[in-house]
Amino acid sequence: MAFAMGGLVMLSEMVEKLPPSERKIAEYILRHPREAISMTASELGKQSETSSAAVIRLCKSLDLKGFQELKLRIAGDLQKTQTQGFRDIEPNESKYSIIEKMTFNSIQTIRETAELISTDELTKAVEALQAAKTIHFFGIGASGIIAQDAQHKFLRINKNATAFSDTHIAAMIVANAKEDDVVVGISFSGETFEVAKILELANQHGAKTISLTKYGTSSVSEQADIRLYTSATREPAFRSGATSSRIAQLQAIDILFMCVASQEYEEAVTYIDDTREAIEFLQRGMRTRK
């Protein structure tokens, strides 16, 4: 992308959760984004009737390096063509219209997730996964399916990986985790109690922890050493774990996987070829038996 983006999405998602002074700044920026990007922290503090210190605190609350990064992201947002919000289906809607709406929603989810992923946090996550002796993916419900997909991908490049949606089994596995293990907690809401507790347990045992949640502060992300975010857009009434949130989580896992595979390219290609041949060997055996 030519520009960093996602600043306005971050502010929109976080505005109701911010302390009063930071909320005033966020609301001012959302009302006057073009003016805000030309201001200094001191000028923005004055215009929003707060202070430059409150501007810096806002940037910290957004998990950004500073005011300059926020301005760059907002400037990138302003370069985009204005898009509609997520669109819900209606009673007896035509198949063509449903196809169009679901495609639009998925594309918007993918774009927003790309804007919200921090390259610094992504780099830390990739390095942790490369060095990991074992990677434990954990999620409940629909996020458990994402954990299984992640396990499948990383097994293909010869990374020891587990994926358990049963909390008791996950707890037993994590209780034996070592400092060179990584535990990845997946929760779209970021408030799945079991996922937060598994990450807390992993921290107690010295394992490296990574969270994958929608953008914003949450009980799950607070337990993680490394925080990755997906699109936090407010989806239509028919949103479930099988629609836009799933698309966002799968995209983030795919990005993680491809980054790790790229860093270990020759070995990864060899392992993928070997696993493909193994599956073909099984399929040939099944055809022979028929």
PDB file of all heavy atoms in Angstrom, residues 156-171:
ATOM      1  N   ARG A 156       2.138 -28.153   7.554  1.00  0.00           N
ATOM      2  CA  ARG A 156       2.600 -28.386   6.176  1.00  0.00           C
ATOM      3  C   ARG A 156       4.026 -27.914   5.942  1.00  0.00           C
ATOM      4  O   ARG A 156       4.682 -28.371   5.006  1.00  0.00           O
ATOM      5  CB  ARG A 156       1.659 -27.697   5.173  1.00  0.00           C
ATOM      6  CG  ARG A 156       0.290 -28.347   5.100  1.00  0.00           C
ATOM      7  CD  ARG A 156      -0.344 -28.120   3.760  1.00  0.00           C
ATOM      8  NE  ARG A 156       0.353 -28.849   2.710  1.00  0.00           N
ATOM      9  CZ  ARG A 156       0.046 -28.776   1.417  1.00  0.00           C
ATOM     10  NH1 ARG A 156      -0.933 -27.990   1.028  1.00  0.00           N
ATOM     11  NH2 ARG A 156       0.720 -29.453   0.517  1.00  0.00           N
ATOM     12  N   ILE A 157       4.516 -26.995   6.791  1.00  0.00           N
ATOM     13  CA  ILE A 157       5.911 -26.551   6.647  1.00  0.00           C
ATOM     14  C   ILE A 157       6.764 -27.054   7.824  1.00  0.00           C
ATOM     15  O   ILE A 157       7.744 -26.447   8.205  1.00  0.00           O
ATOM     16  CB  ILE A 157       6.031 -25.022   6.489  1.00  0.00           C
ATOM     17  CG1 ILE A 157       5.394 -24.283   7.661  1.00  0.00           C
ATOM     18  CG2 ILE A 157       5.415 -24.579   5.153  1.00  0.00           C
ATOM     19  CD1 ILE A 157       5.656 -22.779   7.633  1.00  0.00           C
ATOM     20  N   ASN A 158       6.306 -28.184   8.390  1.00  0.00           N
ATOM     21  CA  ASN A 158       7.065 -28.907   9.409  1.00  0.00           C
ATOM     22  C   ASN A 158       7.242 -28.138  10.717  1.00  0.00           C
ATOM     23  O   ASN A 158       8.267 -28.253  11.392  1.00  0.00           O
ATOM     24  CB  ASN A 158       8.447 -29.311   8.862  1.00  0.00           C
ATOM     25  CG  ASN A 158       9.063 -30.469   9.641  1.00  0.00           C
ATOM     26  OD1 ASN A 158       8.354 -31.370  10.091  1.00  0.00           O
ATOM     27  ND2 ASN A 158      10.371 -30.440   9.810  1.00  0.00           N
ATOM     28  N   LYS A 159       6.226 -27.365  11.083  1.00  0.00           N
ATOM     29  CA  LYS A 159       6.217 -26.707  12.390  1.00  0.00           C
ATOM     30  C   LYS A 159       5.326 -27.522  13.327  1.00  0.00           C
ATOM     31  O   LYS A 159       4.187 -27.826  12.979  1.00  0.00           O
ATOM     32  CB  LYS A 159       5.672 -25.280  12.289  1.00  0.00           C
ATOM     33  CG  LYS A 159       6.501 -24.343  11.426  1.00  0.00           C
ATOM     34  CD  LYS A 159       7.821 -24.001  12.077  1.00  0.00           C
ATOM     35  CE  LYS A 159       8.618 -23.022  11.244  1.00  0.00           C
ATOM     36  NZ  LYS A 159       9.949 -22.749  11.824  1.00  0.00           N
ATOM     37  N   ASN A 160       5.850 -27.892  14.474  1.00  0.00           N
ATOM     38  CA  ASN A 160       5.019 -28.590  15.451  1.00  0.00           C
ATOM     39  C   ASN A 160       3.893 -27.660  15.882  1.00  0.00           C
ATOM     40  O   ASN A 160       4.153 -26.564  16.373  1.00  0.00           O
ATOM     41  CB  ASN A 160       5.848 -28.997  16.673  1.00  0.00           C
ATOM     42  CG  ASN A 160       6.825 -30.102  16.361  1.00  0.00           C
ATOM     43  OD1 ASN A 160       6.538 -30.962  15.529  1.00  0.00           O
ATOM     44  ND2 ASN A 160       7.979 -30.086  16.989  1.00  0.00           N
ATOM     45  N   ALA A 161       2.660 -28.088  15.687  1.00  0.00           N
ATOM     46  CA  ALA A 161       1.524 -27.223  15.991  1.00  0.00           C
ATOM     47  C   ALA A 161       0.361 -28.038  16.534  1.00  0.00           C
ATOM     48  O   ALA A 161       0.123 -29.170  16.103  1.00  0.00           O
ATOM     49  CB  ALA A 161       1.087 -26.460  14.732  1.00  0.00           C
ATOM     50  N   THR A 162      -0.358 -27.473  17.492  1.00  0.00           N
ATOM     51  CA  THR A 162      -1.554 -28.101  18.023  1.00  0.00           C
ATOM     52  C   THR A 162      -2.719 -27.128  17.884  1.00  0.00           C
ATOM     53  O   THR A 162      -2.522 -25.925  17.728  1.00  0.00           O
ATOM     54  CB  THR A 162      -1.407 -28.465  19.518  1.00  0.00           C
ATOM     55  OG1 THR A 162      -1.404 -27.261  20.303  1.00  0.00           O
ATOM     56  CG2 THR A 162      -0.123 -29.245  19.766  1.00  0.00           C
ATOM     57  N   ALA A 163      -3.930 -27.660  17.960  1.00  0.00           N
ATOM     58  CA  ALA A 163      -5.132 -26.823  17.943  1.00  0.00           C
ATOM     59  C   ALA A 163      -6.223 -27.570  18.697  1.00  0.00           C
ATOM     60  O   ALA A 163      -6.730 -28.582  18.215  1.00  0.00           O
ATOM     61  CB  ALA A 163      -5.580 -26.526  16.522  1.00  0.00           C
ATOM     62  N   PHE A 164      -6.541 -27.104  19.895  1.00  0.00           N
ATOM     63  CA  PHE A 164      -7.580 -27.724  20.701  1.00  0.00           C
ATOM     64  C   PHE A 164      -8.621 -26.684  21.079  1.00  0.00           C
ATOM     65  O   PHE A 164      -8.295 -25.623  21.596  1.00  0.00           O
ATOM     66  CB  PHE A 164      -6.991 -28.333  21.981  1.00  0.00           C
ATOM     67  CG  PHE A 164      -6.021 -29.454  21.727  1.00  0.00           C
ATOM     68  CD1 PHE A 164      -4.662 -29.252  21.867  1.00  0.00           C
ATOM     69  CD2 PHE A 164      -6.474 -30.707  21.342  1.00  0.00           C
ATOM     70  CE1 PHE A 164      -3.758 -30.275  21.626  1.00  0.00           C
ATOM     71  CE2 PHE A 164      -5.585 -31.738  21.097  1.00  0.00           C
ATOM     72  CZ  PHE A 164      -4.223 -31.528  21.237  1.00  0.00           C
ATOM     73  N   SER A 165      -9.901 -27.009  20.834  1.00  0.00           N
ATOM     74  CA  SER A 165     -10.969 -26.101  21.243  1.00  0.00           C
ATOM     75  C   SER A 165     -11.524 -26.499  22.608  1.00  0.00           C
ATOM     76  O   SER A 165     -12.261 -25.740  23.223  1.00  0.00           O
ATOM     77  CB  SER A 165     -12.095 -26.082  20.203  1.00  0.00           C
ATOM     78  OG  SER A 165     -12.593 -27.386  19.992  1.00  0.00           O
ATOM     79  N   ASP A 166     -11.153 -27.706  23.086  1.00  0.00           N
ATOM     80  CA  ASP A 166     -11.553 -28.135  24.421  1.00  0.00           C
ATOM     81  C   ASP A 166     -10.666 -27.431  25.448  1.00  0.00           C
ATOM     82  O   ASP A 166      -9.447 -27.586  25.445  1.00  0.00           O
ATOM     83  CB  ASP A 166     -11.405 -29.655  24.539  1.00  0.00           C
ATOM     84  CG  ASP A 166     -11.876 -30.181  25.879  1.00  0.00           C
ATOM     85  OD1 ASP A 166     -11.169 -29.935  26.884  1.00  0.00           O
ATOM     86  OD2 ASP A 166     -12.925 -30.837  25.934  1.00  0.00           O
ATOM     87  N   THR A 167     -11.282 -26.672  26.334  1.00  0.00           N
ATOM     88  CA  THR A 167     -10.518 -25.846  27.270  1.00  0.00           C
ATOM     89  C   THR A 167      -9.660 -26.680  28.215  1.00  0.00           C
ATOM     90  O   THR A 167      -8.524 -26.304  28.515  1.00  0.00           O
ATOM     91  CB  THR A 167     -11.474 -24.958  28.094  1.00  0.00           C
ATOM     92  OG1 THR A 167     -12.354 -24.276  27.205  1.00  0.00           O
ATOM     93  CG2 THR A 167     -10.697 -23.939  28.910  1.00  0.00           C
ATOM     94  N   HIS A 168     -10.175 -27.791  28.697  1.00  0.00           N
ATOM     95  CA  HIS A 168      -9.416 -28.614  29.638  1.00  0.00           C
ATOM     96  C   HIS A 168      -8.170 -29.211  28.981  1.00  0.00           C
ATOM     97  O   HIS A 168      -7.086 -29.219  29.576  1.00  0.00           O
ATOM     98  CB  HIS A 168     -10.304 -29.722  30.209  1.00  0.00           C
ATOM     99  CG  HIS A 168     -11.347 -29.226  31.162  1.00  0.00           C
ATOM    100  ND1 HIS A 168     -12.201 -30.063  31.854  1.00  0.00           N
ATOM    101  CD2 HIS A 168     -11.684 -27.968  31.534  1.00  0.00           C
ATOM    102  CE1 HIS A 168     -13.009 -29.333  32.619  1.00  0.00           C
ATOM    103  NE2 HIS A 168     -12.715 -28.068  32.427  1.00  0.00           N
ATOM    104  N   ILE A 169      -8.321 -29.700  27.754  1.00  0.00           N
ATOM    105  CA  ILE A 169      -7.161 -30.254  27.044  1.00  0.00           C
ATOM    106  C   ILE A 169      -6.149 -29.147  26.768  1.00  0.00           C
ATOM    107  O   ILE A 169      -4.943 -29.319  26.963  1.00  0.00           O
ATOM    108  CB  ILE A 169      -7.597 -30.930  25.725  1.00  0.00           C
ATOM    109  CG1 ILE A 169      -8.435 -32.167  26.023  1.00  0.00           C
ATOM    110  CG2 ILE A 169      -6.363 -31.306  24.893  1.00  0.00           C
ATOM    111  CD1 ILE A 169      -8.970 -32.872  24.802  1.00  0.00           C
ATOM    112  N   ALA A 170      -6.647 -27.976  26.332  1.00  0.00           N
ATOM    113  CA  ALA A 170      -5.748 -26.847  26.071  1.00  0.00           C
ATOM    114  C   ALA A 170      -4.986 -26.458  27.334  1.00  0.00           C
ATOM    115  O   ALA A 170      -3.782 -26.176  27.296  1.00  0.00           O
ATOM    116  CB  ALA A 170      -6.534 -25.661  25.541  1.00  0.00           C
ATOM    117  N   ALA A 171      -5.685 -26.449  28.472  1.00  0.00           N
ATOM    118  CA  ALA A 171      -5.039 -26.095  29.741  1.00  0.00           C
ATOM    119  C   ALA A 171      -3.939 -27.093  30.096  1.00  0.00           C
ATOM    120  O   ALA A 171      -2.857 -26.701  30.557  1.00  0.00           O
ATOM    121  CB  ALA A 171      -6.078 -26.024  30.851  1.00  0.00           C
TER     122      ALA A 171
END
